[in-house]
Amino acid sequence: MAFRKLTDLAVAGLRVLIRADLNVPVKAGVIVDDTRIRASLPTIHAALRAGAGVMVMSHLGRPAEGAPGPDESLRPVAQRIGEFLGRTVPVITDWQDYRVRPGELVLLENVRANRGEKADSEALGRQYAALCDVFVNDAFGTAHRTEASTHAVARFAPQAVAGLLLAAEVEALGRILQAPARPLLAIVAGARLSTKLALLAPLADKVDQLVVGGAIANTFLLAEGRPVGRSLVDPDTVAQVRRVIDALRARGGEVLLPTDVIVGKRPDAAGPAEIRPVDAVRDDEMILDLGPESTAAIVAALDRAATVVWNGPVGAFEFGPFSHGTEAVARAIAAGPAFSIAAGGDTLAAVARYGLRDQVSYLSTGGSAFLALLGGQQLPAIRMLESRR
């Protein structure tokens, strides 16, 4: 991919606007995992060392445009960045007319609160572009989206380049995925099938084995005619899921679906958890983790794989009774012989929780962007940078 990078420019005295991916898990104002913040620091450092005035913008969570809630502010992120850099990092809410000074570092408030952000508004993109002399996209995790802070701003900024993290992600993953050692096993899990379903069809053409877990597996089980009780599912996508399963099996690949599960009445730490065969899930139960038989089958497949890509926890791992599947998978990946890639915020949080950061071959900040790249899709934000070369 041919685009200019921040390191190609002399930015002393210039206003630099960095679109980072600082979408970290925050609970009650406390950052649970700061991997994405750490990954974004080198680009911020580079711009400051070069003598630029630096503004950083990011999304956090999924606030309604124009109406962010108190838990959707980037203030905890600004505080953590300040701790790393040994300085105060102000959060700017009324940013439209802000003019950053050389050597200054500020964080703009959550871009998802800005009207027109998700619609890739030209007007909002022009507002962002007016803030800077150089726009730097360092948010690989959002590169698959066409939004104002990743796409429109790059169209209108005087100069638009890639940051250190985005460039490193694209280059490294391109090398890794061009000719992966096989068997190639992909684990696609998590809660939101709607954001990953479009990526699963091209992915099914690339992998030898597909493991689905978390709430995503519930819809796959539903497509196979299994009972899912009160589990989180996306019934409108059953036909598409069926096509993914059939396509992978038709080319000799394998879909590893749960054969047993851990169920509960609700996803929390207090409720009882019980093991059920997948055909015995009751109407009032929710599937919240893999059962021991399913976990063992996945661990065995991981031991046979040569390349493993993992995106998404396989259960509600935040809660002790439903964390065993994710922990077992994470530890098997870390200990296994395969070249391993863990991608996405929740995945990185699980890796960090179990102390496995140094035992996974490659940590990618992108979730859906990573899956799109793996499936051979072009990423809109990167295409825009290439057009501004």
Side-chain angles (χ1 to χ4, degrees), residues 75-281:
R75 294 186 185 281
V77 174
Q79 181 177 345
R80 183 63 56 87
I81 292 173
E83 291 169 0
F84 283 128
L85 300 182
R87 62 192 293 169
T88 299
V89 180
V91 177
I92 309 300
T93 302
D94 298 323
W95 51 265
Q96 290 81 354
D97 297 316
Y98 196 83
R99 190 169 185 88
V100 70
R101 301 181 303 275
E104 186 182 9
L105 171 63
V106 300
L107 182 61
L108 308 189
E109 190 53 284
N110 194 338
V111 297
R112 288 274 174 87
N114 299 330
R115 295 191 185 278
E117 166 63 20
K118 296 191 74 173
D120 195 31
S121 161
E122 177 178 322
L124 183 57
R126 288 184 182 276
Q127 283 186 302
Y128 291 146
L131 296 172
C132 67
D133 302 301
V134 179
F135 169 69
V136 179
N137 193 336
D138 206 34
F140 176 70
T142 66
H144 63 298
R145 299 193 181 110
T146 307
E147 297 181 347
S149 67
T150 62
H151 191 261
V153 59
R155 177 182 171 193
F156 299 113
Q159 298 189 78
V161 299
L164 279 66
L165 174 61
L166 185 143
E169 290 263 25
V170 170
E171 292 168 6
L173 293 177
R175 290 195 304 270
I176 292 165
L177 300 174
Q178 188 172 16
R182 292 190 179 273
L184 168 58
L185 182 150
I187 301 171
V188 181
R192 296 188 298 271
L193 176 60
S194 60
T195 62
K196 297 180 181 179
L197 182 58
L199 307 174
L200 281 175
L203 188 63
D205 289 333
K206 306 286 184 181
V207 303
D208 302 301
Q209 288 182 303
L210 175 65
V211 174
V212 289
I216 290 175
N218 301 337
T219 304
F220 274 71
L221 290 171
L222 186 63
E224 292 274 84
R226 308 292 193 182
V228 295
R230 293 176 44 248
S231 306
L232 180 63
V233 295
D234 190 347
D236 294 337
T237 65
V238 166
Q240 295 167 272
V241 166
R242 184 74 258 166
R243 286 194 291 272
V244 170
I245 295 171
D246 292 344
L248 185 55
R249 288 175 177 167
R251 52 177 288 270
E254 182 182 8
V255 182
L256 286 176
L257 296 177
T259 55
D260 65 340
V261 292
I262 298 179
V263 300
K265 302 295 185 182
R266 57 189 182 276
D268 61 30
E274 297 189 48
I275 301 170
R276 295 263 187 272
V278 288
D279 289 326
V281 176

